[in-house]
Amino acid sequence: MKPHEIREMTIEEIEKYLRELKDKYFDLRAQKVMGSLTNPMEIRKTKREIARVLTILNEKKKLK
């Protein structure tokens, strides 16, 4: 998801999206340990997306 799309969301929607990303990251790490991960770059992409969402969430909370 692009940053401008995340900025258009409400704080509650962003927090929900963040939980989904963290669940996805957990699943990817579990797949890596079990050896069934098909695309290792997906872990990196997910971590960066989590960081992006956290940054935007903190920006929105400061403005409130």
Side-chain angles (χ1 to χ4, degrees):
M1 189 175 290
K2 300 286 183 179
H4 67 86
E5 295 171 336
I6 299 170
R7 284 189 173 95
E8 293 172 356
M9 300 167 89
T10 64
I11 291 177
E12 292 80 23
E13 291 173 331
I14 294 173
E15 288 173 343
K16 181 180 180 234
Y17 181 57
L18 181 61
R19 280 191 300 275
E20 291 170 5
L21 285 173
K22 286 184 176 184
D23 289 342
K24 178 181 176 184
Y25 180 63
F26 179 81
D27 291 339
L28 289 171
R29 285 184 21 221
Q31 287 177 16
K32 181 181 177 188
V33 169
M34 294 167 53
S36 64
L37 185 63
T38 57
N39 185 3
M41 286 300 295
E42 196 66 31
I43 292 176
R44 177 187 246 175
K45 289 178 188 177
T46 305
K47 283 174 68 173
R48 287 183 178 180
E49 183 72 12
I50 290 171
R52 185 177 300 118
V53 170
L54 284 172
T55 300
I56 294 170
L57 183 61
N58 287 330
E59 287 174 358
K60 281 190 164 258
K61 285 185 177 181
K62 281 185 180 181
L63 293 176
K64 245 189 167 183

